[in-house]
PDB file of all heavy atoms in Angstrom:
ATOM      1  N   TYR Z 324      -9.566   9.639  -3.031  1.00 57.00           N
ATOM      2  CA  TYR Z 324      -9.059  10.920  -3.502  1.00 57.00           C
ATOM      3  C   TYR Z 324      -9.720  11.208  -4.843  1.00 57.00           C
ATOM      4  O   TYR Z 324     -10.020  10.301  -5.594  1.00 57.00           O
ATOM      5  CB  TYR Z 324      -7.551  10.861  -3.708  1.00 57.00           C
ATOM      6  CG  TYR Z 324      -6.787  11.002  -2.431  1.00 57.00           C
ATOM      7  CD1 TYR Z 324      -7.000  10.123  -1.372  1.00 57.00           C
ATOM      8  CD2 TYR Z 324      -5.880  12.027  -2.265  1.00 57.00           C
ATOM      9  CE1 TYR Z 324      -6.312  10.256  -0.194  1.00 57.00           C
ATOM     10  CE2 TYR Z 324      -5.190  12.172  -1.091  1.00 57.00           C
ATOM     11  CZ  TYR Z 324      -5.405  11.287  -0.053  1.00 57.00           C
ATOM     12  OH  TYR Z 324      -4.724  11.437   1.111  1.00 57.00           O
ATOM     13  N   GLU Z 353      -0.392  -1.802   0.719  1.00 98.00           N
ATOM     14  CA  GLU Z 353      -0.741  -0.414   0.401  1.00 98.00           C
ATOM     15  C   GLU Z 353       0.515   0.366   0.030  1.00 98.00           C
ATOM     16  O   GLU Z 353       1.584   0.127   0.593  1.00 98.00           O
ATOM     17  CB  GLU Z 353      -1.361   0.236   1.643  1.00 98.00           C
ATOM     18  CG  GLU Z 353      -2.849   0.487   1.565  1.00 98.00           C
ATOM     19  CD  GLU Z 353      -3.239   1.662   0.689  1.00 98.00           C
ATOM     20  OE1 GLU Z 353      -2.684   1.809  -0.416  1.00 98.00           O
ATOM     21  OE2 GLU Z 353      -4.109   2.428   1.119  1.00 98.00           O
ATOM     22  N   ASP Z 354       0.380   1.309  -0.852  1.00 98.00           N
ATOM     23  CA  ASP Z 354       1.517   2.160  -1.200  1.00 98.00           C
ATOM     24  C   ASP Z 354       1.850   3.114  -0.059  1.00 98.00           C
ATOM     25  O   ASP Z 354       3.002   3.237   0.353  1.00 98.00           O
ATOM     26  CB  ASP Z 354       1.261   2.937  -2.511  1.00 98.00           C
ATOM     27  CG  ASP Z 354      -0.073   3.695  -2.534  1.00 98.00           C
ATOM     28  OD1 ASP Z 354      -0.839   3.676  -1.533  1.00 98.00           O
ATOM     29  OD2 ASP Z 354      -0.360   4.334  -3.561  1.00 98.00           O
ATOM     30  N   ILE Z 355       0.821   3.774   0.475  1.00 98.00           N
ATOM     31  CA  ILE Z 355       1.074   4.798   1.500  1.00 98.00           C
ATOM     32  C   ILE Z 355      -0.090   4.875   2.470  1.00 98.00           C
ATOM     33  O   ILE Z 355      -1.249   4.767   2.080  1.00 98.00           O
ATOM     34  CB  ILE Z 355       1.356   6.169   0.831  1.00 98.00           C
ATOM     35  CG1 ILE Z 355       1.739   7.229   1.870  1.00 98.00           C
ATOM     36  CG2 ILE Z 355       0.180   6.651   0.003  1.00 98.00           C
ATOM     37  CD1 ILE Z 355       2.351   8.481   1.242  1.00 98.00           C
ATOM     38  N   ASP Z 357      -1.849   7.335   4.931  1.00 95.00           N
ATOM     39  CA  ASP Z 357      -1.923   8.787   5.104  1.00 95.00           C
ATOM     40  C   ASP Z 357      -2.882   9.070   6.261  1.00 95.00           C
ATOM     41  O   ASP Z 357      -2.513   8.879   7.417  1.00 95.00           O
ATOM     42  CB  ASP Z 357      -2.357   9.388   3.759  1.00 95.00           C
ATOM     43  CG  ASP Z 357      -2.305  10.908   3.707  1.00 95.00           C
ATOM     44  OD1 ASP Z 357      -1.448  11.498   4.363  1.00 95.00           O
ATOM     45  OD2 ASP Z 357      -3.140  11.507   2.999  1.00 95.00           O
ATOM     46  N   THR Z 358      -4.119   9.481   5.984  1.00 95.00           N
ATOM     47  CA  THR Z 358      -5.062   9.716   7.080  1.00 95.00           C
ATOM     48  C   THR Z 358      -5.457   8.409   7.768  1.00 95.00           C
ATOM     49  O   THR Z 358      -5.802   8.407   8.953  1.00 95.00           O
ATOM     50  CB  THR Z 358      -6.362  10.382   6.577  1.00 95.00           C
ATOM     51  OG1 THR Z 358      -7.005   9.496   5.664  1.00 95.00           O
ATOM     52  CG2 THR Z 358      -6.086  11.708   5.908  1.00 95.00           C
ATOM     53  N   GLY Z 359      -5.430   7.312   7.003  1.00 96.00           N
ATOM     54  CA  GLY Z 359      -5.839   6.014   7.544  1.00 96.00           C
ATOM     55  C   GLY Z 359      -7.271   5.654   7.184  1.00 96.00           C
ATOM     56  O   GLY Z 359      -7.739   4.564   7.513  1.00 96.00           O
ATOM     57  N   LEU Z 360      -7.970   6.549   6.505  1.00 95.00           N
ATOM     58  CA  LEU Z 360      -9.372   6.294   6.134  1.00 95.00           C
ATOM     59  C   LEU Z 360      -9.499   5.072   5.233  1.00 95.00           C
ATOM     60  O   LEU Z 360     -10.363   4.222   5.438  1.00 95.00           O
ATOM     61  CB  LEU Z 360      -9.954   7.517   5.413  1.00 95.00           C
ATOM     62  CG  LEU Z 360     -10.396   8.684   6.303  1.00 95.00           C
ATOM     63  CD1 LEU Z 360     -10.583   9.950   5.471  1.00 95.00           C
ATOM     64  CD2 LEU Z 360     -11.687   8.328   7.032  1.00 95.00           C
ATOM     65  N   THR Z 361      -8.643   4.980   4.232  1.00 95.00           N
ATOM     66  CA  THR Z 361      -8.707   3.875   3.275  1.00 95.00           C
ATOM     67  C   THR Z 361      -8.457   2.547   3.989  1.00 95.00           C
ATOM     68  O   THR Z 361      -9.193   1.575   3.810  1.00 95.00           O
ATOM     69  CB  THR Z 361      -7.640   4.062   2.171  1.00 95.00           C
ATOM     70  OG1 THR Z 361      -7.804   5.352   1.589  1.00 95.00           O
ATOM     71  CG2 THR Z 361      -7.751   2.992   1.104  1.00 95.00           C
ATOM     72  N   LYS Z 385       2.882   8.274   6.412  1.00 97.00           N
ATOM     73  CA  LYS Z 385       2.900   9.705   6.783  1.00 97.00           C
ATOM     74  C   LYS Z 385       2.198   9.827   8.117  1.00 97.00           C
ATOM     75  O   LYS Z 385       1.010  10.173   8.197  1.00 97.00           O
ATOM     76  CB  LYS Z 385       2.075  10.499   5.758  1.00 97.00           C
ATOM     77  CG  LYS Z 385       2.816  10.990   4.571  1.00 97.00           C
ATOM     78  CD  LYS Z 385       1.917  11.998   3.831  1.00 97.00           C
ATOM     79  CE  LYS Z 385       2.115  11.900   2.357  1.00 97.00           C
ATOM     80  NZ  LYS Z 385       1.150  12.724   1.603  1.00 97.00           N
ATOM     81  N   PHE Z 406       3.740  15.626  -0.479  1.00 97.00           N
ATOM     82  CA  PHE Z 406       3.049  14.807  -1.467  1.00 97.00           C
ATOM     83  C   PHE Z 406       4.087  14.150  -2.365  1.00 97.00           C
ATOM     84  O   PHE Z 406       4.879  14.815  -3.007  1.00 97.00           O
ATOM     85  CB  PHE Z 406       2.063  15.641  -2.293  1.00 97.00           C
ATOM     86  CG  PHE Z 406       1.056  14.771  -2.996  1.00 97.00           C
ATOM     87  CD1 PHE Z 406      -0.112  14.386  -2.352  1.00 97.00           C
ATOM     88  CD2 PHE Z 406       1.300  14.306  -4.283  1.00 97.00           C
ATOM     89  CE1 PHE Z 406      -1.026  13.545  -2.977  1.00 97.00           C
ATOM     90  CE2 PHE Z 406       0.379  13.464  -4.913  1.00 97.00           C
ATOM     91  CZ  PHE Z 406      -0.785  13.095  -4.258  1.00 97.00           C
ATOM     92  N   VAL Z 407       4.088  12.822  -2.363  1.00 98.00           N
ATOM     93  CA  VAL Z 407       5.121  12.089  -3.106  1.00 98.00           C
ATOM     94  C   VAL Z 407       4.524  11.317  -4.277  1.00 98.00           C
ATOM     95  O   VAL Z 407       3.359  10.932  -4.256  1.00 98.00           O
ATOM     96  CB  VAL Z 407       5.899  11.125  -2.182  1.00 98.00           C
ATOM     97  CG1 VAL Z 407       6.758  11.900  -1.191  1.00 98.00           C
ATOM     98  CG2 VAL Z 407       4.961  10.177  -1.451  1.00 98.00           C
ATOM     99  N   ASP Z 413       0.832   8.195  -7.554  1.00 97.00           N
ATOM    100  CA  ASP Z 413       0.491   9.121  -8.635  1.00 97.00           C
ATOM    101  C   ASP Z 413       0.122  10.501  -8.129  1.00 97.00           C
ATOM    102  O   ASP Z 413      -0.219  10.697  -6.961  1.00 97.00           O
ATOM    103  CB  ASP Z 413      -0.727   8.588  -9.399  1.00 97.00           C
ATOM    104  CG  ASP Z 413      -2.021   8.721  -8.584  1.00 97.00           C
ATOM    105  OD1 ASP Z 413      -2.048   8.241  -7.428  1.00 97.00           O
ATOM    106  OD2 ASP Z 413      -2.990   9.327  -9.086  1.00 97.00           O
TER     107      ASP Z 413
HETATM  108  P1  IMP R 670      -5.613   7.606   3.382  1.00 96.88           P
HETATM  109  O1  IMP R 670      -6.957   6.985   3.215  1.00 96.88           O
HETATM  110  O2  IMP R 670      -5.699   9.069   3.701  1.00 96.88           O
HETATM  111  O3  IMP R 670      -4.699   6.870   4.337  1.00 96.88           O
HETATM  112  O4  IMP R 670      -4.954   7.658   1.956  1.00 96.88           O
HETATM  113  C1  IMP R 670      -4.363   6.593   1.369  1.00 96.88           C
HETATM  114  C2  IMP R 670      -4.318   6.811  -0.134  1.00 96.88           C
HETATM  115  O5  IMP R 670      -4.140   8.192  -0.478  1.00 96.88           O
HETATM  116  C3  IMP R 670      -3.133   6.103  -0.712  1.00 96.88           C
HETATM  117  O6  IMP R 670      -3.467   4.783  -1.089  1.00 96.88           O
HETATM  118  C4  IMP R 670      -2.772   6.972  -1.896  1.00 96.88           C
HETATM  119  O7  IMP R 670      -3.490   6.550  -3.045  1.00 96.88           O
HETATM  120  C5  IMP R 670      -3.238   8.359  -1.536  1.00 96.88           C
HETATM  121  N1  IMP R 670      -2.111   9.221  -1.088  1.00 96.88           N
HETATM  122  C6  IMP R 670      -1.896   9.706   0.151  1.00 96.88           C
HETATM  123  N2  IMP R 670      -0.785  10.449   0.208  1.00 96.88           N
HETATM  124  C7  IMP R 670      -0.254  10.431  -1.030  1.00 96.88           C
HETATM  125  C8  IMP R 670       0.933  10.988  -1.613  1.00 96.88           C
HETATM  126  O8  IMP R 670       1.766  11.676  -0.981  1.00 96.88           O
HETATM  127  N3  IMP R 670       1.138  10.734  -2.928  1.00 96.88           N
HETATM  128  C9  IMP R 670       0.267   9.973  -3.675  1.00 96.88           C
HETATM  129  N4  IMP R 670      -0.836   9.424  -3.178  1.00 96.88           N
HETATM  130  C10 IMP R 670      -1.108   9.641  -1.864  1.00 96.88           C
END
Side-chain angles (χ1 to χ4, degrees):
Y324 280 57
E353 252 285 44
D354 51 1
I355 185 166
D357 188 32
T358 63
L360 281 164
T361 306
K385 271 192 215 173
F406 198 87
V407 291
D413 72 307

